Amino acid sequence: MGKFANMEKVIALGEKSWRAGAEHGLVQVRTTKGDNGQLILDGHAFTNMVSCSYLGLNRHPAILRGAIDAIEREGVLNHSVSRTRIAPALLSEAEDAMSQLFECEAYLTPSCFVASATVLPLYASGHLTEGKKPVVVFDKRCHFSMTIMKASCGDETEVLTIDHNDMVALEELCKTHEKVVYVCDGAYSTGGVAPIHDIVRLQNTYGLYLYIDDSHSISAYAPRGQGYMRPAFGALGDRTIISGSLAKSFGAIGGVILAGSARIRELFDFANGPTGWSQQFSVPGMGSALATAKLHRTSEVADLQGRLQENIAYFDSRLPSNDAGNGLPIRFVEVGEAEAAIEASKRILARGFYVSAIFFPIVPRGKAGLRMMMRADMSREQMKAFCDAIEEAIAQRVAHEAALTA
C-alpha cells in the first residue's frame, strides 16, 4: 500500500493552498468570451497566459470548420461503440493525415491519459519488448497522466522511479536489466525538457525502450509541428512510442499515439485496453484533427511558430530563467512559498493577465511560483505589459517581505 501513490498525503499538504487560491479568485474561475481572444470575469477583461494553445489555433476558423463539417457529415457527436468494432471512415482519414504529418503510424485517442493507459500496460506485459517483461522506469517529474499508471504496470512487472533527467541512474539500469522502458515527458509542464541526445545514445547503446509524452511541444516546435522529440529519431522503429495532445497547440480535440510499425498500432486495437470501450475518438475530434493536420503542412503554421519564438525571446530577455533559450513556450518563475505565488498571481490578474500560482504537489514544497505559457497571438505591446505586470508583482512581494523583517 502506498508504493505507487499517496493521495492521502497529497491532499493533506496541498488542499490548504488550493483553497487559498479559490478564496483569492484564482481557481474555479468561470468566464465569458471577450474581444481579441480575451476572457471576461465579472466585467474584468484579461488575457489567459496559461492556455496551452501556444499558436492560437484553438480559434482558427479552418479547424472549427473541420469540426462542424464532421458533425454535419456524420450526423452524430459520437458513435458510442468501440473503435475496434466500428468507426466512421473519417477516423481513418484523420489518422492517415496525422501519419503523413508525423511520418509514422498515428493512432487517435480521446485524451493523452487514454494514450498512456493504452501503451504502458502493453509495455509492462512484455508484448512490446520481445515477450520479456521489462523494468519500467518513470522520471520523477512525469505528468500525472502517466504516473497514475504505475500501479497497473506494477501489477505486471517491476516499476522504478528515478530523479528528474538522471541519465546516470538510467544507464546503470540499462546495464543491469535486459529490457528497460523509460517513461518521461519531452517538454515538461512546469518547464524544461528531456535530455534527448542522452536518451537517443542510451537507446542506440542498450536498446532502451521509450514512452514519451511530448504534448507541450508538438505543433509549437519543429517543422510541420513535429515537436521536440519526434525529429530526433528518424524512423521510430519498435522501441519508441510518442504521445501528444491535440487539444493544446494543435487547436483540436483528444490525443495521438505515434508508433513505428503497423504491428504495434494493431495491438492498440486488439489488447482490450481503453480503446476497446465505447468511448471512441469523437466525430468533431476527427474533423478537427483532419483540418489541423492539413493546416500544419502550410506556411501559416511556420509563420505562427516564428512569432511565438519572438515572444519567447522577448520574455527571456526581460525575465531570465533556467529555461531561457530552449525555444519552448512554458516558463516558470519561482517565488518561494505558496502564499507568495498566490499573492503575485492575484496582482498580475488585476493588471489583466492570468498566470498560474503553482505549489505542492505540482512542485516541491517551498518551490512555489508562477507558471505561464507564451503565445504567438500577442503583440510586442501586450508582451511588454505582461512582463511589466510580473516584474511589478515580484517587486511588491519582495518589498513586503523586507518590511516584515525590518
Side-chain angles (χ1 to χ4, degrees):
M1 184 178 294
K3 183 177 181 181
F4 301 112
N6 193 345
M7 287 301 296
E8 180 182 9
K9 179 180 179 181
V10 166
I11 293 173
L13 295 176
E15 185 178 12
K16 178 181 177 182
S17 297
W18 282 112
R19 291 194 177 281
E23 290 169 2
H24 286 278
L26 299 174
V27 300
Q28 299 174 327
V29 176
R30 302 297 180 262
T31 64
T32 55
K33 179 178 176 293
D35 296 329
N36 301 317
Q38 286 193 311
L39 300 174
I40 307 295
L41 171 64
D42 297 331
H44 177 60
F46 67 92
T47 300
N48 180 7
M49 297 304 299
V50 296
S51 169
C52 296
S53 183
Y54 306 119
L55 302 183
L57 296 182
N58 60 337
R59 300 191 306 276
H60 197 286
I63 298 175
L64 297 177
R65 186 72 254 171
I68 294 168
D69 287 347
I71 294 171
E72 292 176 344
R73 168 175 160 175
E74 298 298 327
V76 294
L77 293 175
N78 198 317
H79 283 277
S80 303
V81 61
S82 162
R83 59 165 288 157
T84 304
R85 301 284 183 182
I86 301 171
L90 181 58
L91 177 60
S92 294
E93 294 171 26
E95 289 182 332
D96 287 346
M98 280 291 174
S99 296
Q100 293 173 22
L101 188 70
F102 286 102
E103 301 175 281
C104 60
E105 296 282 339
Y107 188 95
L108 297 177
T109 62
S111 69
C112 283
F113 166 70
V114 171
S116 296
T118 298
V119 175
L120 290 175
L122 283 174
Y123 259 139
S125 71
H127 281 82
L128 300 179
T129 53
E130 301 175 285
K132 299 177 181 178
K133 292 191 175 184
V135 56
V136 180
V137 183
F138 287 78
D139 185 279
K140 189 174 184 179
R141 280 178 53 187
C142 271
H143 193 269
F144 179 80
S145 61
M146 293 181 282
T147 61
I148 197 173
M149 296 307 300
K150 284 182 179 180
S152 177
C153 292
D155 204 39
E156 294 265 7
T157 192
E158 182 179 10
V159 171
L160 301 174
T161 302
I162 60 174
D163 287 338
H164 179 51
N165 285 346
D166 190 344
M167 295 296 102
V168 173
L170 183 59
E171 184 162 12
E172 286 302 311
L173 290 168
C174 289
K175 290 177 179 178
T176 56
H177 293 76
E178 184 178 359
K179 304 290 182 184
V180 178
V181 175
Y182 182 48
V183 184
C184 66
D185 294 53
Y188 283 84
S189 60
T190 52
V193 296
I196 181 58
H197 298 299
D198 290 329
I199 290 171
V200 171
R201 177 183 63 82
L202 293 179
Q203 185 174 74
N204 291 338
T205 304
Y206 301 101
L208 176 67
Y209 290 84
L210 299 168
Y211 179 69
I212 305 168
D213 185 318
D214 205 20
S215 293
H216 286 286
S217 80
I218 62 169
S219 176
Y221 191 85
R224 297 192 296 174
Q226 286 194 345
Y228 183 69
M229 302 301 284
R230 174 66 190 93
F233 292 96
L236 283 185
D238 287 346
R239 294 177 182 267
T240 302
I241 298 175
I242 298 172
S243 67
S245 173
L246 302 182
K248 292 184 172 23
S249 189
F250 259 98
I253 301 172
V256 63
I257 306 172
L258 307 177
S261 71
R263 180 190 69 84
I264 293 176
R265 187 184 185 284
E266 190 175 58
L267 273 178
F268 300 154
D269 268 338
F270 297 159
N272 294 316
T275 58
W277 306 340
S278 57
Q279 296 179 19
Q280 66 173 250
F281 199 66
S282 70
V283 166
M286 297 173 199
S288 62
L290 180 59
T292 198
K294 292 178 179 177
L295 187 68
H296 277 75
R297 302 180 74 91
T298 70
S299 61
E300 182 177 356
V301 166
D303 291 342
L304 288 170
Q305 287 180 333
R307 288 164 55 187
L308 175 63
Q309 290 302 317
E310 290 174 1
N311 284 343
I312 292 172
Y314 177 77
F315 182 89
D316 287 343
S317 72
R318 293 282 305 271
L319 291 153
S321 69
N322 292 334
D323 297 324
N326 69 9
L328 294 167
I330 299 176
R331 291 293 179 266
F332 178 75
V333 177
E334 184 178 324
V335 298
E337 298 300 328
E339 294 81 2
I342 291 169
E343 181 61 32
S345 179
K346 182 180 178 181
R347 292 181 184 276
I348 294 167
L349 179 58
R351 291 282 297 269
F353 301 94
Y354 182 95
V355 299
S356 292
I358 301 295
F359 36 75
F360 183 85
I362 302 171
V363 294
R365 283 179 288 173
K367 300 285 186 179
L370 306 173
R371 184 180 70 165
M372 58 218 74
M373 282 65 164
M374 302 301 105
R375 295 171 45 157
D377 56 345
M378 290 181 66
S379 67
R380 179 54 52 87
E381 290 74 20
Q382 288 174 307
M383 286 298 301
K384 181 181 184 301
F386 175 52
C387 292
D388 289 346
I390 296 172
E391 289 178 343
E392 180 182 295
I394 293 174
Q396 289 175 329
R397 181 66 193 182
V398 170
H400 175 71
E401 291 178 350
L404 292 177
T405 57

